[in-house]
Amino acid sequence: MKKRVERLRGMYDLLPEVYQQQQWVSEKVSKLLEHAGYAHVDSPVLEHSDLFHASFGQELWQNLYAFRIHQRDLCLRPEYTASICRLYLDHYQQQGLPQRFQYAGPIFRYEAPGRSRYRQHTQLGIEIFGGQPAAADAEMIQLACEVLHDLGISRYRLELGHVGVASGFINRLHLDDHAARLLLGLMEQISRSEEGERLAQERLERLYPADQALNKMASEVSPPATVLSGVDARYISSLLSGISISFGDDDVRREVVERFLWKMGRNEQRRQILNALEFLRELHAVSGPPPAVFEAVAELLERYGLDTSPLNELRQLVAVVEQCGVPSEQILLNLSLGRGVSYYTGLVFEIHAQEADGFDAQLCGGGRYDRLMRAVGSSRDIAACGFAIGLERLLAHIPQATLPVLNQTQALVIPVSANEFPYALRVARAAREAGQPVEVDISGHGVGAGLKQAVKKQILLALIVGEDEARQNEVTVRNLETSVEWRLPFGELANGLVADFGEEQKEQLV
């Protein structure tokens, strides 16, 4: 027997009840955003891989569905922001700013599946291009919170951060591009838990292992902070000659010197990276609710001689958010917050909620990315920000009482024989045009089997049509709860069926 083909790990089948609930949530969010001026757009699921290079560094690229076909490098959309930037460049460059867009659709990432975490999931979100940054940031946060309130989710944690603080410190260290991107990418792990900090430390140790011999020699020849600038090739060559190393010729000597300098450079990178990691730990340690946390963060920035303007931006934003109705006790300032993609330049935020068993789930996240547009092909930077919501996780936190129930078929049209099937289709169409959910029995097994099928599916009414009904343009209606039967003229079908339902069934049919 042929082996059954199973569903891919990390994917899921969307069954009728959940499908209807997701559609309801999506339409509700879409209408709210439409009223705020956000036009609905969508982009192809498949894009050129280059589009996402600015979003996902080498460390995260392995988690994307990227492949090569017909000499082209392609990628299934792992997120929407870069795609909407490309869409803007293709269609809206000549139009004035600001531009507001909303989207909803599937994204794909090859990540470890988890609770409400799938390799294909649905993302809802917005992007704002242009506008005064502080005003656009405030609108973005306010809309994200308004979406949750509109869906009945009032208990959540709004976590605010600013990439400018960490990037300002890291830029001062003059790290190579790979090391700088790595540190910014590890911010997300560091900000999550002590376990995340430990994993980040272990990863850095693997990538930048200690070389004790070089550490000792570097400390003897020059102060550690100036190893790369103070030790030149001639000095190293002389030093190596003095310890009886034979090079053979100048090319070999040059290669040995270059390798030695490279190793010393790696050691210096390691020292600076561990320095940055310690700073990120300190930054995470002063996380907390406003306004008390501002003083602690200000002291930390002053101690390291860092720019305080990101902190001032967050002070203003918190004031606006509180005025919009978000309680201060639900706001957390976390300047070590990282979002897992590398294009953010300013404000970053996440919204978390707890399930009944205490499981902490991220519902929403986003931030400011003023340099992404140039990275995907624009001739200039464009101020931009946006957020994304995971629909599957969001659905798990919406109160069940507010979600719609699955639309139930209220009547089954049962033809007595194949000869009455065309008339049965006419009856069903007339009932549907009146807004009533009606099925037609296509089993061909007669009235008895049709009635059993209706009872099994908990259908309220059976509409029986035989030769006599078709000739007189009528329908025999049977209430399957009371077993009462009556004849109904075809022209009175819609009103007659509604009249037989109770108030609850009538509301479902309207």
Side-chain angles (χ1 to χ4, degrees):
M1 187 174 71
K2 187 176 179 180
K3 183 180 178 181
R4 185 170 67 89
V5 179
E6 297 183 347
R7 184 181 70 249
L8 287 171
R9 183 170 181 263
M11 306 294 183
Y12 71 103
D13 296 315
L14 200 54
L15 302 184
E17 184 174 13
V18 177
Y19 180 88
Q20 181 171 303
Q21 291 174 350
Q22 287 196 5
Q23 289 294 109
W24 177 81
V25 172
S26 185
E27 290 170 6
K28 196 172 181 66
V29 172
S30 176
K31 190 164 291 295
L32 186 154
L33 296 175
E34 281 178 9
H35 290 168
Y38 288 78
H40 209 296
V41 295
D42 203 357
S43 62
V45 169
L46 195 62
E47 298 267 20
H48 287 287
S49 297
D50 287 350
L51 181 63
F52 303 107
H53 281 159
S55 311
F56 297 86
Q58 186 177 0
E59 305 297 327
L60 295 174
W61 194 255
Q62 61 185 345
N63 294 333
L64 306 189
Y65 285 88
F67 54 94
R68 186 170 179 80
I69 185 171
H70 301 310
Q71 310 304 314
R72 291 185 297 173
D73 293 316
L74 305 176
C75 183
L76 291 180
R77 180 177 60 208
E79 54 102 47
Y80 260 98
T81 300
S83 290
I84 303 301
C85 286
R86 196 265 313 144
L87 179 149
Y88 169 84
L89 293 177
D90 284 351
H91 303 283
Y92 291 92
Q93 281 193 84
Q94 306 307 317
Q95 298 190 23
L97 295 172
Q99 293 286 336
R100 294 178 172 91
F101 300 110
Q102 64 163 304
Y103 58 81
I107 66 167
F108 303 83
R109 295 192 196 180
Y110 192 78
E111 296 176 331
R115 189 168 180 173
S116 297
R117 182 186 182 121
Y118 304 100
R119 289 174 175 169
Q120 175 187 333
H121 64 271
T122 308
Q123 214 176 58
L124 313 175
I126 66 167
E127 312 294 348
I128 309 173
F129 300 134
Q132 200 277 328
D137 288 349
E139 176 175 303
M140 171 180 62
I141 297 289
Q142 185 266 333
L143 275 176
C145 295
E146 189 175 340
V147 165
L148 298 186
H149 283 285
D150 202 44
L151 293 170
I153 304 172
S154 58
R155 298 299 303 172
Y156 55 82
R157 181 178 79 255
L158 172 61
E159 205 165 324
L160 299 173
H162 198 294
V163 172
V165 175
S167 62
F169 179 84
I170 292 170
N171 290 339
R172 219 169 55 178
L173 299 178
H174 303 295
L175 298 171
D176 60 45
D177 288 344
H178 178 267
R181 284 197 301 269
L182 176 63
L183 276 169
L184 289 172
L186 289 175
M187 283 176 63
E188 184 171 19
Q189 273 186 297
I190 294 167
S191 68
R192 287 287 163 258
S193 64
E194 292 183 4
E195 176 67 10
E197 284 190 25
R198 186 184 63 78
L199 293 174
Q201 176 80 41
E202 288 179 358
R203 189 171 182 187
L204 290 172
E205 291 287 355
R206 287 195 304 270
L207 292 171
Y208 293 87
D211 191 320
Q212 300 302 330
L214 278 179
N215 280 341
K216 184 175 185 300
M217 185 173 291
S219 66
E220 292 174 354
V221 299
S222 179
T226 60
V227 167
L228 294 181
S229 60
V231 179
D232 60 21
R234 269 191 319 179
Y235 184 85
I236 293 296
S237 180
S238 173
L239 180 65
L240 295 177
S241 297
I243 56 176
S244 303
I245 294 180
S246 176
F247 295 103
D249 57 41
D250 289 341
D251 288 340
V252 174
R253 179 187 298 272
R254 189 180 304 110
E255 183 180 349
V256 170
V257 170
E258 287 176 354
R259 287 182 180 179
F260 187 81
L261 289 172
W262 180 83
K263 281 195 172 185
M264 293 188 75
R266 289 279 292 183
N267 246 31
E268 175 64 7
Q269 290 283 301
R270 168 189 163 80
R271 192 186 69 80
Q272 297 282 39
I273 285 171
L274 294 179
N275 186 20
L277 186 61
E278 182 57 35
F279 171 73
L280 292 177
R281 287 197 189 101
E282 288 191 58
L283 204 55
H284 179 58
V286 295
S287 300
V293 70
F294 286 118
E295 185 177 342
V297 175
E299 289 177 1
L300 179 64
L301 298 184
E302 184 180 355
R303 177 151 50 89
Y304 278 92
L306 294 173
D307 182 16
T308 59
S309 58
L311 187 60
N312 296 332
E313 289 179 27
L314 289 173
R315 285 183 192 271
Q316 296 172 9
L317 180 63
V318 167
V320 173
V321 169
E322 288 179 344
Q323 290 174 26
C324 290
V326 179
S328 59
E329 61 268 20
Q330 292 181 213
I331 302 174
L332 179 75
L333 202 68
N334 178 9
L335 287 170
S336 66
L337 182 64
R339 292 277 305 123
V341 289
S342 58
Y343 51 63
Y344 290 112
T345 57
L347 167 74
V348 288
F349 80 96
E350 292 179 354
I351 299 179
H352 293 251
Q354 282 196 340
E355 295 183 3
D357 61 0
F359 177 75
D360 185 89
Q362 180 191 321
L363 305 184
C364 177
R368 174 154 294 279
Y369 51 93
D370 292 345
R371 290 192 287 271
L372 180 58
M373 198 70 79
R374 186 188 291 271
V376 299
S378 174
S379 59
R380 62 190 177 98
D381 290 329
I382 295 177
C385 63
F387 69 71
I389 296 173
L391 179 56
E392 288 78 6
R393 284 191 179 178
L394 184 67
L395 190 61
H397 288 79
I398 298 173
Q400 285 295 312
T402 65
L403 291 171
V405 296
L406 184 64
N407 288 332
Q408 294 289 333
T409 299
Q410 297 295 330
L412 179 67
V413 183
I414 306 173
V416 173
S417 69
N419 293 331
E420 288 78 48
F421 190 74
Y423 182 61
L425 292 177
R426 283 181 55 209
V427 169
R429 186 176 71 176
R432 291 169 191 151
E433 286 176 351
Q436 300 177 20
V438 173
E439 292 181 24
V440 177
D441 176 23
I442 58 173
S443 68
H445 293 155
V447 175
L451 292 174
K452 288 180 181 178
Q453 178 188 349
V455 171
K456 187 176 182 180
K457 296 180 70 172
Q458 297 182 322
I459 295 175
L460 180 64
L461 299 177
L463 309 182
I464 302 168
V465 290
E467 182 180 356
D468 189 42
E469 284 87 356
R471 186 174 57 254
Q472 298 186 36
N473 219 24
E474 293 181 339
V475 176
T476 296
V477 182
R478 176 181 293 185
N479 186 311
L480 297 177
E481 288 184 351
T482 63
S483 297
V484 175
E485 276 191 7
W486 70 98
R487 283 284 188 100
L488 196 65
F490 182 89
E492 300 176 14
L493 187 62
N495 292 335
L497 292 180
V498 173
D500 186 63
F501 295 151
E503 291 302 317
E504 182 178 344
Q505 289 87 356
K506 289 179 184 178
E507 290 178 4
Q508 291 177 353
L509 292 177
V510 173

